[in-house]
Amino acid sequence: MNMDLKDKHTSHSLLHSFSFAIIGMVTAVKQERNMRIHLLSSVLVILISFYFSITKMEWLFILFAIGGMFSLEMINSSIERVVDLVSPEYHLLAKQAKDLAAGAVLVFAILSILVGAVIFLPHILRLFSWG
């Protein structure tokens, strides 16, 4: 009997964890302009991926790029909020923390663009008979 209560509590907590995570994702899309840009870009990339019938391996790279971009952007937004909370006035270290987090997002965004170029450029060149 005691085990049943523990199992119910654990599954309830797990369900709550998932709901909190989903709330966080929705908040990010609603409140962060860059998340909306990433979402729109991701939809476009997925449609292009279907159009060009990319390989399973290419899909893996595309999906990791998309997932990584969303994850890093949410981490960046989290860092910005925490820094603003603990340091409401300007502080050099607070600025550096925000800049470092934004830099991480930029590095991954550039990597994602390069992944997209490697995957899609040959398809685009063939489409226009340039390759």
Side-chain angles (χ1 to χ4, degrees), residues 21-131:
I22 291 168
I23 289 168
M25 292 165 47
V26 170
T27 300
V29 172
K30 282 183 175 179
Q31 295 184 4
E32 298 294 325
R33 178 197 58 184
N34 288 348
M35 279 297 287
R36 291 189 297 275
I37 292 169
H38 294 311
L39 183 61
L40 181 64
S41 300
S42 298
V43 169
L44 183 63
V45 166
I46 289 169
L47 292 174
I48 292 169
S49 297
F50 279 116
Y51 178 78
F52 286 127
S53 298
I54 64 174
T55 67
K56 288 179 185 176
M57 186 62 73
E58 291 169 333
W59 270 110
L60 286 175
F61 280 101
I62 293 296
L63 293 174
F64 270 99
I66 290 170
M69 198 71 251
F70 282 129
S71 297
L72 267 177
E73 191 63 57
M74 286 186 282
I75 290 169
N76 178 50
S77 297
S78 298
I79 289 170
E80 288 178 355
R81 282 169 170 75
V82 170
V83 167
D84 289 345
L85 180 67
V86 299
S87 182
E89 62 282 337
Y90 177 84
H91 192 284
L92 180 61
L93 290 176
K95 179 189 181 322
Q96 288 176 351
K98 288 180 166 188
D99 291 349
L100 288 165
V105 172
L106 180 60
V107 167
F108 200 84
I110 292 168
L111 177 65
S112 296
I113 290 168
L114 292 174
V115 166
V118 167
I119 291 173
F120 295 121
L121 202 53
H123 293 287
I124 292 168
L125 291 175
R126 272 194 303 279
L127 184 68
F128 293 105
S129 299
W130 295 331

